[in-house]
Amino acid sequence: MAKTLYVGNLPWSTTDTSLAEAFREYGAVISSRIITDKETGRSRGFGFVEVEDDDAEKMISAMNGNDFGGRQIVVNEAKPRQG
């Protein structure tokens, strides 16, 4: 199984690849995506990383509050979308 982690307060320059690489240090990353504004295509400053269940807690502990690109990021388990 996989879990999705919410990652907030990202620098605007963050890419899907750089986000995945940062988390890969702490476990298996299945996918990552930066959320962008539909009209401008610019990053909205947050994204999601899909990780193996076994690695999720370790990644949250290791990355939450860490400096990433000069900003202190917020990492927690993503909540299901409200319909």
Side-chain angles (χ1 to χ4, degrees):
M1 285 295 297
K3 284 190 177 171
T4 302
L5 304 181
Y6 163 84
V7 187
N9 202 32
L10 290 169
W12 304 124
S13 60
T14 306
T15 64
D16 294 345
T17 306
S18 66
L19 185 60
E21 286 170 359
F23 278 81
R24 219 167 255 131
E25 191 177 325
Y26 301 100
V29 173
I30 298 164
S31 68
S32 65
R33 66 186 187 281
I34 301 295
I35 305 305
T36 55
D37 184 281
K38 284 181 174 45
E39 291 179 21
T40 65
R42 201 173 144 216
S43 167
R44 292 186 53 201
F46 70 96
F48 297 94
V49 180
E50 188 179 8
V51 302
E52 293 292 336
D53 266 358
D54 296 344
D55 297 329
E57 289 304 318
K58 179 172 56 173
M59 288 181 175
I60 291 170
S61 296
M63 296 294 288
N64 188 40
N66 263 13
D67 182 81
F68 182 81
R71 299 187 73 168
Q72 188 176 15
I73 60 172
V74 174
V75 182
N76 52 47
E77 193 170 338
K79 297 177 178 41
R81 266 192 189 166
Q82 300 298 314

